[in-house]
Amino acid sequence: MPAIGHFLLVAVAMTWASTAQPQSPCGDWNPVPMPGAAGNGLASVSASSPMDVWAVWKAVYHWNGIAWTEVPALGLGHPDPLGYADTSFSAVAAVAPRGAWIVGYTSFVGTPQTLAERWDGSKWTAIPSPVITGGSFFDAITALDANDAWAVGARA
């Protein structure tokens, strides 16, 4: 455990030191329109190539090299009739055009539970994840390939 704390301390120091250095220009930003819901903000973005970029938060978006489109995910679009359900994706990991992962939480009546889904090139599939009394959620994910991903989170 001490090695993790040491690593984090070094990462923070390196980040702080780099902000004091003059920044070199890296070119112009090219704004690209996104579907309307993306205007509420995004939590994470990941790319496996310039033609395969994913972005998430209250929806899932895919860039195909030409335009952004909203892609239906299992945890979204199923509101509870009383208005208590909520789903958010906090992180995405793209590994190939036919391999990506999204994680976050879904909740019903205010109790969040972890949510993980995998993209197979045509649809998202829910992956069983822990259900913890009192609630839990995923914050981040990294993936080595379409069948090997690691997620972290916390209890609610």
Side-chain angles (χ1 to χ4, degrees), residues 14-39:
M14 289 172 59
T15 301
W16 176 79
S18 70
T19 60
Q21 303 297 319
Q23 300 296 314
S24 61
C26 63
D28 294 329
W29 288 91
N30 297 317
V32 178
M34 290 191 78

Side-chain angles (χ1 to χ4, degrees), residues 28-53:
D28 294 329
W29 288 91
N30 297 317
V32 178
M34 290 191 78
N40 296 329
L42 296 169
S44 180
V45 64
S46 182
S48 71
S49 77
M51 313 303 185
D52 183 46
V53 183

Side-chain angles (χ1 to χ4, degrees), residues 64-143:
N64 64 5
I66 298 169
W68 286 101
T69 56
E70 189 169 344
V71 179
L74 296 174
L76 299 169
H78 304 289
D80 146 42
L82 300 175
Y84 296 116
D86 184 28
T87 298
S88 289
F89 291 105
S90 56
V92 58
V95 293
R98 293 197 170 162
W101 295 81
I102 52 177
V103 295
Y105 73 88
T106 190
S107 67
F108 181 71
V109 192
T111 304
Q113 291 298 333
T114 57
L115 178 61
E117 297 185 25
R118 183 175 65 178
W119 179 254
D120 66 5
S122 63
K123 68 182 181 324
W124 291 102
T125 302
I127 304 300
S129 59
V131 173
I132 297 174
T133 302
S136 60
F137 53 90
F138 284 131
D139 286 320
I141 187 166
T142 189

Side-chain angles (χ1 to χ4, degrees), residues 2-16:
I4 292 171
H6 179 66
F7 173 76
L8 291 175
L9 178 62
V10 171
V12 169
M14 289 172 59
T15 301
W16 176 79

